[in-house]
Amino acid sequence: MAKRREEIPPAGSPAWMATFSDLMNLLLCFFVLLFSMSTVDAQKFQEVAASLASSFSILPSGGSALSDEGILVSSGASQLNDLSDFYNNMGLNMDGEFNESINSAIEEVEKEGLEQSEKMAEKIEAHLEAANVADMVEVTATSKYVMLNLNGGVLFDSGSADIKSDALSLLNAVSDSIYEYKDHIITVEGHTDNVPISTSQYPDNMMLSLYRAYSVFDYFVQEKGFDEKTISSSGRGEAVPISSNSSADGRAQNRRVEIKIYNSLNS
């Protein structure tokens, strides 16, 4: 009987040893990770958390951290200590510099507005003089608008809001003088004296002033081409007198229509 030949084992380590080595490496990494977490620098961790909070302005609900300046960040959001004090005193702790800057800016705007209004007033007055009606219209310039004051006795009969036929030439001259500013905000205000009125059409002075202003407004829009988007009318009744109602002359001054053309800064 022939002798059986012994098999030669494969070279190298057994297969189970490779698997065991991998397992040991994984365990080693796991324990190294545990060790590194157990020795975390708490201060650096807080700084990282605060940095994230300042970037995103939010932390998990109830979380907290400290910023670089030691300000507390908590309750899920970045918070500013003494927020109410900050807003209440905003601009008040700068030796008046903040308020001075604001006041200076306001003065510059008003100065520019007044210059615009004065230039507008000069052009309007030139138109009125050329039309020979300058003595029938009082022109005033302010930092916000140019105001044209028209005597109510010239435009309307007593107790009426219908424009008199002989006043149409005046309204034509006025509308032509301000037409180049038709894209600006324009308001027409009616005013009366304090003499009571009570008719079926005008139960009080407020209603009479309203209809008088509307008559001028309607004439400008329907006959002269002004845009309803930029022009408006209102009645003030006897609420805003410019003279004493104790005399006939004073009451005549109070019966008026004011046309205000706002400059570009206020339009």
Side-chain angles (χ1 to χ4, degrees):
M1 182 175 179
K3 187 176 180 181
R4 186 177 180 178
R5 185 177 179 180
E6 294 183 358
E7 295 182 359
I8 300 175
S13 302
W16 66 268
M17 189 172 292
T19 302
F20 181 78
S21 298
D22 290 339
L23 177 61
M24 292 297 101
N25 287 332
L26 291 174
L27 288 174
L28 176 63
C29 291
F30 177 70
F31 284 111
V32 170
L33 180 62
L34 290 179
F35 175 78
S36 63
M37 292 181 65
S38 65
T39 58
V40 168
D41 189 326
Q43 182 177 356
K44 289 185 178 180
F45 180 81
Q46 291 283 40
E47 290 177 357
V48 171
S51 176
L52 291 175
S54 63
S55 299
F56 300 101
S57 296
I58 190 168
L59 285 172
S61 178
S64 64
L66 291 176
S67 67
D68 294 338
E69 293 80 12
I71 299 176
L72 180 64
V73 180
S74 63
S75 301
S78 179
Q79 297 180 359
L80 178 64
N81 288 16
D82 300 325
L83 184 61
S84 60
D85 291 341
F86 175 80
Y87 279 110
N88 290 335
N89 296 294
M90 182 181 293
L92 300 179
N93 298 320
M94 301 172 63
D95 296 330
E97 293 180 3
F98 180 83
N99 290 333
E100 289 180 4
S101 299
I102 293 297
N103 292 334
S104 176
I106 293 174
E107 290 176 359
E108 287 297 322
V109 171
E110 290 182 347
K111 180 180 178 182
E112 175 64 22
L114 182 59
E115 291 178 356
Q116 287 190 15
S117 295
E118 288 176 344
K119 291 179 180 179
M120 292 167 58
E122 289 178 0
K123 287 186 176 182
I124 293 172
E125 287 177 333
H127 280 287
L128 296 175
E129 289 177 359
N132 297 319
V133 295
D135 58 338
M136 303 175 67
V137 183
E138 182 183 351
V139 181
T140 305
T142 73
S143 61
K144 294 183 178 180
Y145 54 76
V146 176
M147 184 177 71
L148 279 59
N149 185 338
L150 284 67
N151 188 280
V154 175
L155 298 177
F156 311 100
D157 289 324
S158 178
S160 173
D162 297 327
I163 299 173
K164 295 193 294 187
S165 57
D166 57 356
L168 294 179
S169 59
L170 172 60
L171 285 183
N172 279 328
V174 170
S175 64
D176 291 341
S177 69
I178 66 174
Y179 188 77
E180 65 176 295
Y181 308 111
K182 64 183 179 66
D183 294 331
H184 292 218
I185 293 176
I186 300 175
T187 63
V188 182
E189 294 181 359
H191 300 265
T192 69
D193 56 27
N194 67 344
V195 177
I197 183 175
S198 180
T199 66
S200 59
Q201 190 172 6
Y202 312 117
D204 52 37
N205 281 325
M206 182 64 72
M207 192 63 68
L208 176 62
S209 67
L210 177 62
Y211 272 88
R212 285 183 171 180
Y214 178 77
S215 294
V216 176
F217 161 86
D218 187 62
Y219 183 80
F220 280 6
V221 172
Q222 300 300 329
E223 302 297 332
K224 307 303 293 185
F226 284 76
D227 193 343
E228 291 181 340
K229 294 179 181 179
T230 56
I231 188 171
S232 62
S233 65
S234 62
R236 303 301 303 277
E238 58 191 76
V240 191
I242 58 174
S243 184
S244 173
N245 282 303
S246 60
S247 66
D249 183 64
R251 291 191 295 272
Q253 293 182 48
N254 291 331
R255 296 190 296 268
R256 69 198 189 277
V257 171
E258 294 178 349
I259 302 172
K260 297 177 180 178
I261 307 95
Y262 287 78
N263 56 44
S264 60
L265 288 178
N266 292 278
S267 290

